[in-house]
Amino acid sequence: MAESYQNIAIRKNLISKETVLVPKKTFGSVPINVALVYPNTYTIGMSNLGFHSIFYQVNSRDDALCHRAFFSLKNSIDDYINTLEADKPINEYDIIGFSISFELDYINILKILDTMGIPLSSKERQGPLIMAGGPALTCNPEPLADFIDFFVIGEGEEIIHEIIKTYREHKSSSKDEILEALAQIEGVYVPQFCNVDYDETENVADIKTHPKAQMPVKRRWIKNLDDYNTESVILTPYTEFKNMFLLEVSRGCGRNCRFCMAGYCYRVPRQRSLDKVLERAEYGARFMQKIGLVGAAVSDYPFIDKLAEELIKSRIKFSVSSLRADSLREPLMAALAYSGHKTLTVAPEAGSERLRKVINKGISEEHVVNAAKLARKFGIKNLKLYYIIGLPYEKNEDIDEMIEFLVALKNTFKNSYSNLTVSINPFIPKPFTPFQWIGMEDIKSLNEKIKLIQNKLKPHGIKVIFESPRMSEIQAGLARGNRHTAKLLYEIYKNGATNSAFSKTKIDGKGLEFYAHREIDKKAVLPWEHINIGLSKAYFLGEYNRATNGQPTEKCTEEKCQKCRICQIK
């Protein structure tokens, strides 16, 4: 197999436009060679800070190098998956590490391995070792368990060094011996050391574990963010955030939104110190026109007003990844306006005040109106609102209330905004959330709600964009799947991985829609229960009951409390 001339030309163009802020290393110049693969396009992968962070951490070592590869350098699968840095096939590296952010990219992993002639089944492979990590896999790695040799459960900046060290010490050993050694690292999950049986309802019936495997597998997380620089290390114009140096200011969110997997996956909420953020922002401003501040809710960063003021004093323009309507204040908005921010984006999520109490969103219509007033005051002309439909306990009245509010908002600010855009996204139940037991709403109902919203808002000049309920269903099926889902994914790939294959492929009469929509008994052992993210099942059941009763849960504070108690875990 040879790489096409078109791919070679694209590769050379991409490299020529990159500014690399880490030392470059030659393939084979160090004992361990790692190919870090993003199973989507170059543009999306290079917009991902987690991808940048692992690339930097491996290359910071004297005994290892990391080179990048992508499912596609443009918009479709490449005929040969070579690394950018060395133009080497990924199967010539010791470890292939997949950085995975979205369930919809799972099928691309099978395509990548198969394209490069690497056996899909972990049990049929001797090398290279296949590693995978990311938030979706931290919460439920089972749908990829047949294909991946070992998973990183949690945050990777610290554990990747332990993995490289252990691999180097056992590199001359057999694959099983290497995996046994890796399984001793806290946060490493080796699926072949955990055998799972299911009953006829797809609930876990029995789990048998290898004597040397640590079960449950404990999530790793960084205690002090200042110890690691999580920021852009390769600058390129071909990203979602061109002309921007990305810089993480915080990680995790303590708002306790009950639908949000990231809020639980990245708990405890942590912040970088103001001095650290300013130092790295000044560094990034040497290379790019603008700094991109990244966090679950940047407006919640405790030093955001001071940070905004100091950045503007230094004539550093910036943008933000996310905002909450209830924590927006004038210093931040003034600085965003100075920086050329064109759109205010906030997420009420649920359509009514009642439903926002169910999901514990903590945002009112008044918060959204006040945020819109602030944007108007500082000349920000575009307003975008995110909503979720199909939430647990949603009623038709909730949709009606959302429509009424949006029409009123448009009329109130009709001379203030160039565009009012509403993004509608179907609710996707995720593991390790209080709604993990609840099935997704059926596709027909979701489509009817989207059509109703479009028809009601269009006459008022409100633009409606939406995520496909069918694509959301696939995502939900993979998010809530088990090892039978891995076999289903394999069959889907064999059947061409088309929309039809996703819809029609079934095993024992069950397709992905079964896993998306099924209700799971509260007493059942969950498919992901052998993963320990630090929060008990009883905690999630308690939050489920509070949601049922519309009861709020206070946000996390820096002080130790008695709510989830995760911050008391050593």
Side-chain angles (χ1 to χ4, degrees), residues 502-530:
F502 274 101
S503 300
K504 296 180 179 179
T505 304
K506 301 182 187 304
I507 295 179
D508 296 329
K510 298 182 180 72
L512 283 178
E513 70 280 357
F514 168 80
Y515 298 95
H517 299 289
R518 72 172 181 142
E519 300 281 329
I520 302 177
D521 191 286
K522 307 296 187 304
K523 296 179 181 178
V525 177
L526 294 162
W528 44 88
E529 205 161 316
H530 54 288

PDB file of all heavy atoms in Angstrom, residues 502-530:
ATOM      1  N   PHE A 502     -25.902   1.322  10.298  1.00  0.00           N
ATOM      2  CA  PHE A 502     -26.173   1.691  11.682  1.00  0.00           C
ATOM      3  C   PHE A 502     -27.623   1.392  12.055  1.00  0.00           C
ATOM      4  O   PHE A 502     -27.919   1.006  13.177  1.00  0.00           O
ATOM      5  CB  PHE A 502     -25.860   3.173  11.912  1.00  0.00           C
ATOM      6  CG  PHE A 502     -24.429   3.452  12.255  1.00  0.00           C
ATOM      7  CD1 PHE A 502     -23.542   3.922  11.302  1.00  0.00           C
ATOM      8  CD2 PHE A 502     -23.956   3.248  13.546  1.00  0.00           C
ATOM      9  CE1 PHE A 502     -22.214   4.185  11.614  1.00  0.00           C
ATOM     10  CE2 PHE A 502     -22.632   3.512  13.874  1.00  0.00           C
ATOM     11  CZ  PHE A 502     -21.760   3.979  12.906  1.00  0.00           C
ATOM     12  N   SER A 503     -28.537   1.575  11.105  1.00  0.00           N
ATOM     13  CA  SER A 503     -29.960   1.396  11.386  1.00  0.00           C
ATOM     14  C   SER A 503     -30.370  -0.069  11.394  1.00  0.00           C
ATOM     15  O   SER A 503     -31.170  -0.488  12.238  1.00  0.00           O
ATOM     16  CB  SER A 503     -30.805   2.146  10.343  1.00  0.00           C
ATOM     17  OG  SER A 503     -30.535   3.516  10.359  1.00  0.00           O
ATOM     18  N   LYS A 504     -29.821  -0.847  10.475  1.00  0.00           N
ATOM     19  CA  LYS A 504     -30.334  -2.201  10.250  1.00  0.00           C
ATOM     20  C   LYS A 504     -29.540  -3.300  10.942  1.00  0.00           C
ATOM     21  O   LYS A 504     -30.046  -4.414  11.134  1.00  0.00           O
ATOM     22  CB  LYS A 504     -30.384  -2.477   8.744  1.00  0.00           C
ATOM     23  CG  LYS A 504     -31.362  -1.577   7.998  1.00  0.00           C
ATOM     24  CD  LYS A 504     -31.383  -1.892   6.510  1.00  0.00           C
ATOM     25  CE  LYS A 504     -32.387  -0.999   5.775  1.00  0.00           C
ATOM     26  NZ  LYS A 504     -32.409  -1.275   4.307  1.00  0.00           N
ATOM     27  N   THR A 505     -28.291  -3.038  11.311  1.00  0.00           N
ATOM     28  CA  THR A 505     -27.465  -4.096  11.898  1.00  0.00           C
ATOM     29  C   THR A 505     -27.946  -4.410  13.308  1.00  0.00           C
ATOM     30  O   THR A 505     -28.103  -3.525  14.140  1.00  0.00           O
ATOM     31  CB  THR A 505     -25.989  -3.676  11.931  1.00  0.00           C
ATOM     32  OG1 THR A 505     -25.561  -3.331  10.610  1.00  0.00           O
ATOM     33  CG2 THR A 505     -25.126  -4.804  12.479  1.00  0.00           C
ATOM     34  N   LYS A 506     -28.158  -5.704  13.564  1.00  0.00           N
ATOM     35  CA  LYS A 506     -28.615  -6.150  14.879  1.00  0.00           C
ATOM     36  C   LYS A 506     -27.934  -7.456  15.239  1.00  0.00           C
ATOM     37  O   LYS A 506     -27.546  -8.238  14.370  1.00  0.00           O
ATOM     38  CB  LYS A 506     -30.137  -6.326  14.897  1.00  0.00           C
ATOM     39  CG  LYS A 506     -30.918  -5.067  14.563  1.00  0.00           C
ATOM     40  CD  LYS A 506     -32.416  -5.276  14.651  1.00  0.00           C
ATOM     41  CE  LYS A 506     -33.194  -4.068  14.145  1.00  0.00           C
ATOM     42  NZ  LYS A 506     -32.843  -2.826  14.830  1.00  0.00           N
ATOM     43  N   ILE A 507     -27.802  -7.702  16.518  1.00  0.00           N
ATOM     44  CA  ILE A 507     -27.332  -8.983  17.043  1.00  0.00           C
ATOM     45  C   ILE A 507     -28.385  -9.463  18.035  1.00  0.00           C
ATOM     46  O   ILE A 507     -28.738  -8.735  18.971  1.00  0.00           O
ATOM     47  CB  ILE A 507     -25.960  -8.846  17.726  1.00  0.00           C
ATOM     48  CG1 ILE A 507     -24.879  -8.458  16.704  1.00  0.00           C
ATOM     49  CG2 ILE A 507     -25.575 -10.147  18.431  1.00  0.00           C
ATOM     50  CD1 ILE A 507     -23.500  -8.272  17.288  1.00  0.00           C
ATOM     51  N   ASP A 508     -28.898 -10.671  17.788  1.00  0.00           N
ATOM     52  CA  ASP A 508     -29.983 -11.222  18.616  1.00  0.00           C
ATOM     53  C   ASP A 508     -31.162 -10.254  18.689  1.00  0.00           C
ATOM     54  O   ASP A 508     -31.802 -10.084  19.734  1.00  0.00           O
ATOM     55  CB  ASP A 508     -29.488 -11.541  20.031  1.00  0.00           C
ATOM     56  CG  ASP A 508     -28.418 -12.633  20.049  1.00  0.00           C
ATOM     57  OD1 ASP A 508     -28.464 -13.506  19.162  1.00  0.00           O
ATOM     58  OD2 ASP A 508     -27.542 -12.583  20.938  1.00  0.00           O
ATOM     59  N   GLY A 509     -31.430  -9.587  17.562  1.00  0.00           N
ATOM     60  CA  GLY A 509     -32.575  -8.700  17.476  1.00  0.00           C
ATOM     61  C   GLY A 509     -32.372  -7.333  18.088  1.00  0.00           C
ATOM     62  O   GLY A 509     -33.305  -6.528  18.126  1.00  0.00           O
ATOM     63  N   LYS A 510     -31.172  -7.047  18.566  1.00  0.00           N
ATOM     64  CA  LYS A 510     -30.909  -5.767  19.232  1.00  0.00           C
ATOM     65  C   LYS A 510     -29.898  -4.951  18.433  1.00  0.00           C
ATOM     66  O   LYS A 510     -28.804  -5.416  18.132  1.00  0.00           O
ATOM     67  CB  LYS A 510     -30.377  -5.994  20.648  1.00  0.00           C
ATOM     68  CG  LYS A 510     -31.334  -6.726  21.586  1.00  0.00           C
ATOM     69  CD  LYS A 510     -30.727  -6.851  22.969  1.00  0.00           C
ATOM     70  CE  LYS A 510     -31.678  -7.573  23.928  1.00  0.00           C
ATOM     71  NZ  LYS A 510     -31.772  -9.013  23.629  1.00  0.00           N
ATOM     72  N   GLY A 511     -30.291  -3.695  18.124  1.00  0.00           N
ATOM     73  CA  GLY A 511     -29.383  -2.761  17.482  1.00  0.00           C
ATOM     74  C   GLY A 511     -29.003  -1.653  18.449  1.00  0.00           C
ATOM     75  O   GLY A 511     -29.340  -1.703  19.638  1.00  0.00           O
ATOM     76  N   LEU A 512     -28.324  -0.635  17.937  1.00  0.00           N
ATOM     77  CA  LEU A 512     -27.909   0.458  18.809  1.00  0.00           C
ATOM     78  C   LEU A 512     -29.091   1.169  19.450  1.00  0.00           C
ATOM     79  O   LEU A 512     -28.992   1.687  20.560  1.00  0.00           O
ATOM     80  CB  LEU A 512     -27.065   1.466  18.025  1.00  0.00           C
ATOM     81  CG  LEU A 512     -25.607   1.080  17.746  1.00  0.00           C
ATOM     82  CD1 LEU A 512     -24.931   2.163  16.918  1.00  0.00           C
ATOM     83  CD2 LEU A 512     -24.840   0.858  19.036  1.00  0.00           C
ATOM     84  N   GLU A 513     -30.244   1.178  18.743  1.00  0.00           N
ATOM     85  CA  GLU A 513     -31.411   1.865  19.300  1.00  0.00           C
ATOM     86  C   GLU A 513     -31.882   1.206  20.598  1.00  0.00           C
ATOM     87  O   GLU A 513     -32.429   1.867  21.485  1.00  0.00           O
ATOM     88  CB  GLU A 513     -32.551   1.916  18.277  1.00  0.00           C
ATOM     89  CG  GLU A 513     -33.216   0.598  17.967  1.00  0.00           C
ATOM     90  CD  GLU A 513     -32.434  -0.256  16.967  1.00  0.00           C
ATOM     91  OE1 GLU A 513     -31.393   0.202  16.474  1.00  0.00           O
ATOM     92  OE2 GLU A 513     -32.891  -1.390  16.697  1.00  0.00           O
ATOM     93  N   PHE A 514     -31.647  -0.107  20.737  1.00  0.00           N
ATOM     94  CA  PHE A 514     -32.020  -0.792  21.991  1.00  0.00           C
ATOM     95  C   PHE A 514     -31.261  -0.184  23.167  1.00  0.00           C
ATOM     96  O   PHE A 514     -31.853   0.135  24.212  1.00  0.00           O
ATOM     97  CB  PHE A 514     -31.713  -2.288  21.888  1.00  0.00           C
ATOM     98  CG  PHE A 514     -31.785  -3.000  23.211  1.00  0.00           C
ATOM     99  CD1 PHE A 514     -33.002  -3.386  23.747  1.00  0.00           C
ATOM    100  CD2 PHE A 514     -30.631  -3.266  23.942  1.00  0.00           C
ATOM    101  CE1 PHE A 514     -33.075  -4.024  24.977  1.00  0.00           C
ATOM    102  CE2 PHE A 514     -30.682  -3.902  25.173  1.00  0.00           C
ATOM    103  CZ  PHE A 514     -31.917  -4.283  25.692  1.00  0.00           C
ATOM    104  N   TYR A 515     -29.955  -0.001  23.012  1.00  0.00           N
ATOM    105  CA  TYR A 515     -29.133   0.530  24.096  1.00  0.00           C
ATOM    106  C   TYR A 515     -29.437   2.011  24.337  1.00  0.00           C
ATOM    107  O   TYR A 515     -29.301   2.503  25.464  1.00  0.00           O
ATOM    108  CB  TYR A 515     -27.656   0.339  23.779  1.00  0.00           C
ATOM    109  CG  TYR A 515     -27.280  -1.114  23.646  1.00  0.00           C
ATOM    110  CD1 TYR A 515     -27.239  -1.737  22.396  1.00  0.00           C
ATOM    111  CD2 TYR A 515     -26.996  -1.878  24.765  1.00  0.00           C
ATOM    112  CE1 TYR A 515     -26.916  -3.074  22.274  1.00  0.00           C
ATOM    113  CE2 TYR A 515     -26.665  -3.227  24.650  1.00  0.00           C
ATOM    114  CZ  TYR A 515     -26.638  -3.815  23.402  1.00  0.00           C
ATOM    115  OH  TYR A 515     -26.331  -5.145  23.282  1.00  0.00           O
ATOM    116  N   ALA A 516     -29.855   2.723  23.297  1.00  0.00           N
ATOM    117  CA  ALA A 516     -30.163   4.149  23.441  1.00  0.00           C
ATOM    118  C   ALA A 516     -31.439   4.370  24.246  1.00  0.00           C
ATOM    119  O   ALA A 516     -31.512   5.281  25.073  1.00  0.00           O
ATOM    120  CB  ALA A 516     -30.293   4.805  22.068  1.00  0.00           C
ATOM    121  N   HIS A 517     -32.441   3.537  24.004  1.00  0.00           N
ATOM    122  CA  HIS A 517     -33.773   3.806  24.555  1.00  0.00           C
ATOM    123  C   HIS A 517     -34.134   2.948  25.764  1.00  0.00           C
ATOM    124  O   HIS A 517     -35.148   3.227  26.415  1.00  0.00           O
ATOM    125  CB  HIS A 517     -34.832   3.592  23.461  1.00  0.00           C
ATOM    126  CG  HIS A 517     -34.678   4.497  22.295  1.00  0.00           C
ATOM    127  ND1 HIS A 517     -34.940   5.849  22.360  1.00  0.00           N
ATOM    128  CD2 HIS A 517     -34.263   4.259  21.020  1.00  0.00           C
ATOM    129  CE1 HIS A 517     -34.708   6.400  21.159  1.00  0.00           C
ATOM    130  NE2 HIS A 517     -34.293   5.462  20.342  1.00  0.00           N
ATOM    131  N   ARG A 518     -33.352   1.970  26.093  1.00  0.00           N
ATOM    132  CA  ARG A 518     -33.772   1.063  27.165  1.00  0.00           C
ATOM    133  C   ARG A 518     -33.717   1.743  28.536  1.00  0.00           C
ATOM    134  O   ARG A 518     -32.854   2.584  28.816  1.00  0.00           O
ATOM    135  CB  ARG A 518     -32.907  -0.196  27.180  1.00  0.00           C
ATOM    136  CG  ARG A 518     -31.492  -0.014  27.676  1.00  0.00           C
ATOM    137  CD  ARG A 518     -30.835  -1.377  27.806  1.00  0.00           C
ATOM    138  NE  ARG A 518     -29.473  -1.273  28.301  1.00  0.00           N
ATOM    139  CZ  ARG A 518     -28.943  -2.137  29.160  1.00  0.00           C
ATOM    140  NH1 ARG A 518     -29.652  -3.148  29.611  1.00  0.00           N
ATOM    141  NH2 ARG A 518     -27.694  -1.991  29.565  1.00  0.00           N
ATOM    142  N   GLU A 519     -34.676   1.396  29.362  1.00  0.00           N
ATOM    143  CA  GLU A 519     -34.690   1.812  30.756  1.00  0.00           C
ATOM    144  C   GLU A 519     -33.921   0.758  31.549  1.00  0.00           C
ATOM    145  O   GLU A 519     -34.161  -0.442  31.388  1.00  0.00           O
ATOM    146  CB  GLU A 519     -36.120   1.921  31.277  1.00  0.00           C
ATOM    147  CG  GLU A 519     -36.991   2.922  30.531  1.00  0.00           C
ATOM    148  CD  GLU A 519     -36.713   4.349  30.954  1.00  0.00           C
ATOM    149  OE1 GLU A 519     -36.347   4.562  32.124  1.00  0.00           O
ATOM    150  OE2 GLU A 519     -36.871   5.257  30.106  1.00  0.00           O
ATOM    151  N   ILE A 520     -33.008   1.174  32.397  1.00  0.00           N
ATOM    152  CA  ILE A 520     -32.195   0.241  33.179  1.00  0.00           C
ATOM    153  C   ILE A 520     -32.717   0.230  34.610  1.00  0.00           C
ATOM    154  O   ILE A 520     -32.940   1.280  35.218  1.00  0.00           O
ATOM    155  CB  ILE A 520     -30.707   0.648  33.159  1.00  0.00           C
ATOM    156  CG1 ILE A 520     -30.187   0.705  31.717  1.00  0.00           C
ATOM    157  CG2 ILE A 520     -29.876  -0.335  33.984  1.00  0.00           C
ATOM    158  CD1 ILE A 520     -28.741   1.170  31.599  1.00  0.00           C
ATOM    159  N   ASP A 521     -32.922  -0.961  35.121  1.00  0.00           N
ATOM    160  CA  ASP A 521     -33.404  -1.107  36.494  1.00  0.00           C
ATOM    161  C   ASP A 521     -32.399  -0.505  37.469  1.00  0.00           C
ATOM    162  O   ASP A 521     -31.189  -0.700  37.329  1.00  0.00           O
ATOM    163  CB  ASP A 521     -33.617  -2.594  36.805  1.00  0.00           C
ATOM    164  CG  ASP A 521     -34.366  -2.805  38.113  1.00  0.00           C
ATOM    165  OD1 ASP A 521     -33.738  -2.611  39.178  1.00  0.00           O
ATOM    166  OD2 ASP A 521     -35.554  -3.157  38.080  1.00  0.00           O
ATOM    167  N   LYS A 522     -32.906   0.236  38.459  1.00  0.00           N
ATOM    168  CA  LYS A 522     -32.027   0.890  39.428  1.00  0.00           C
ATOM    169  C   LYS A 522     -31.199  -0.099  40.239  1.00  0.00           C
ATOM    170  O   LYS A 522     -30.138   0.241  40.757  1.00  0.00           O
ATOM    171  CB  LYS A 522     -32.842   1.759  40.393  1.00  0.00           C
ATOM    172  CG  LYS A 522     -33.777   2.767  39.732  1.00  0.00           C
ATOM    173  CD  LYS A 522     -33.033   3.808  38.945  1.00  0.00           C
ATOM    174  CE  LYS A 522     -33.961   4.897  38.450  1.00  0.00           C
ATOM    175  NZ  LYS A 522     -35.103   4.416  37.637  1.00  0.00           N
ATOM    176  N   LYS A 523     -31.674  -1.332  40.349  1.00  0.00           N
ATOM    177  CA  LYS A 523     -30.955  -2.337  41.135  1.00  0.00           C
ATOM    178  C   LYS A 523     -29.941  -3.118  40.293  1.00  0.00           C
ATOM    179  O   LYS A 523     -29.138  -3.881  40.831  1.00  0.00           O
ATOM    180  CB  LYS A 523     -31.950  -3.315  41.779  1.00  0.00           C
ATOM    181  CG  LYS A 523     -32.886  -2.656  42.789  1.00  0.00           C
ATOM    182  CD  LYS A 523     -33.861  -3.670  43.375  1.00  0.00           C
ATOM    183  CE  LYS A 523     -34.808  -2.997  44.366  1.00  0.00           C
ATOM    184  NZ  LYS A 523     -35.791  -3.973  44.917  1.00  0.00           N
ATOM    185  N   ALA A 524     -29.988  -2.932  38.972  1.00  0.00           N
ATOM    186  CA  ALA A 524     -29.100  -3.691  38.084  1.00  0.00           C
ATOM    187  C   ALA A 524     -27.658  -3.211  38.219  1.00  0.00           C
ATOM    188  O   ALA A 524     -27.396  -2.054  38.557  1.00  0.00           O
ATOM    189  CB  ALA A 524     -29.560  -3.539  36.635  1.00  0.00           C
ATOM    190  N   VAL A 525     -26.711  -4.136  37.947  1.00  0.00           N
ATOM    191  CA  VAL A 525     -25.304  -3.758  37.846  1.00  0.00           C
ATOM    192  C   VAL A 525     -25.114  -3.083  36.488  1.00  0.00           C
ATOM    193  O   VAL A 525     -25.395  -3.667  35.442  1.00  0.00           O
ATOM    194  CB  VAL A 525     -24.384  -4.986  37.963  1.00  0.00           C
ATOM    195  CG1 VAL A 525     -22.924  -4.576  37.781  1.00  0.00           C
ATOM    196  CG2 VAL A 525     -24.582  -5.672  39.308  1.00  0.00           C
ATOM    197  N   LEU A 526     -24.661  -1.860  36.508  1.00  0.00           N
ATOM    198  CA  LEU A 526     -24.500  -1.092  35.273  1.00  0.00           C
ATOM    199  C   LEU A 526     -23.303  -1.592  34.472  1.00  0.00           C
ATOM    200  O   LEU A 526     -22.306  -2.053  35.052  1.00  0.00           O
ATOM    201  CB  LEU A 526     -24.333   0.389  35.612  1.00  0.00           C
ATOM    202  CG  LEU A 526     -25.569   1.044  36.248  1.00  0.00           C
ATOM    203  CD1 LEU A 526     -25.180   2.344  36.949  1.00  0.00           C
ATOM    204  CD2 LEU A 526     -26.636   1.312  35.196  1.00  0.00           C
ATOM    205  N   PRO A 527     -23.337  -1.487  33.146  1.00  0.00           N
ATOM    206  CA  PRO A 527     -22.221  -1.971  32.323  1.00  0.00           C
ATOM    207  C   PRO A 527     -20.892  -1.313  32.647  1.00  0.00           C
ATOM    208  O   PRO A 527     -19.829  -1.867  32.381  1.00  0.00           O
ATOM    209  CB  PRO A 527     -22.665  -1.633  30.891  1.00  0.00           C
ATOM    210  CG  PRO A 527     -24.148  -1.543  30.951  1.00  0.00           C
ATOM    211  CD  PRO A 527     -24.464  -1.008  32.312  1.00  0.00           C
ATOM    212  N   TRP A 528     -20.932  -0.114  33.212  1.00  0.00           N
ATOM    213  CA  TRP A 528     -19.721   0.653  33.516  1.00  0.00           C
ATOM    214  C   TRP A 528     -19.423   0.686  35.012  1.00  0.00           C
ATOM    215  O   TRP A 528     -18.600   1.470  35.466  1.00  0.00           O
ATOM    216  CB  TRP A 528     -19.870   2.085  32.983  1.00  0.00           C
ATOM    217  CG  TRP A 528     -21.209   2.696  33.277  1.00  0.00           C
ATOM    218  CD1 TRP A 528     -21.587   3.390  34.399  1.00  0.00           C
ATOM    219  CD2 TRP A 528     -22.374   2.665  32.433  1.00  0.00           C
ATOM    220  NE1 TRP A 528     -22.897   3.776  34.316  1.00  0.00           N
ATOM    221  CE2 TRP A 528     -23.408   3.358  33.114  1.00  0.00           C
ATOM    222  CE3 TRP A 528     -22.648   2.118  31.175  1.00  0.00           C
ATOM    223  CZ2 TRP A 528     -24.688   3.519  32.572  1.00  0.00           C
ATOM    224  CZ3 TRP A 528     -23.922   2.280  30.643  1.00  0.00           C
ATOM    225  CH2 TRP A 528     -24.919   2.963  31.334  1.00  0.00           C
ATOM    226  N   GLU A 529     -20.034  -0.193  35.785  1.00  0.00           N
ATOM    227  CA  GLU A 529     -19.931  -0.103  37.234  1.00  0.00           C
ATOM    228  C   GLU A 529     -18.562  -0.521  37.767  1.00  0.00           C
ATOM    229  O   GLU A 529     -18.223  -0.237  38.921  1.00  0.00           O
ATOM    230  CB  GLU A 529     -21.030  -0.945  37.892  1.00  0.00           C
ATOM    231  CG  GLU A 529     -21.395  -0.457  39.280  1.00  0.00           C
ATOM    232  CD  GLU A 529     -22.760  -0.955  39.748  1.00  0.00           C
ATOM    233  OE1 GLU A 529     -23.732  -0.920  38.958  1.00  0.00           O
ATOM    234  OE2 GLU A 529     -22.841  -1.374  40.907  1.00  0.00           O
ATOM    235  N   HIS A 530     -17.750  -1.193  36.957  1.00  0.00           N
ATOM    236  CA  HIS A 530     -16.407  -1.556  37.398  1.00  0.00           C
ATOM    237  C   HIS A 530     -15.408  -0.404  37.203  1.00  0.00           C
ATOM    238  O   HIS A 530     -14.221  -0.557  37.466  1.00  0.00           O
ATOM    239  CB  HIS A 530     -15.907  -2.808  36.669  1.00  0.00           C
ATOM    240  CG  HIS A 530     -15.979  -2.694  35.170  1.00  0.00           C
ATOM    241  ND1 HIS A 530     -17.151  -2.713  34.476  1.00  0.00           N
ATOM    242  CD2 HIS A 530     -15.001  -2.578  34.235  1.00  0.00           C
ATOM    243  CE1 HIS A 530     -16.918  -2.603  33.185  1.00  0.00           C
ATOM    244  NE2 HIS A 530     -15.610  -2.514  33.012  1.00  0.00           N
TER     245      HIS A 530
END
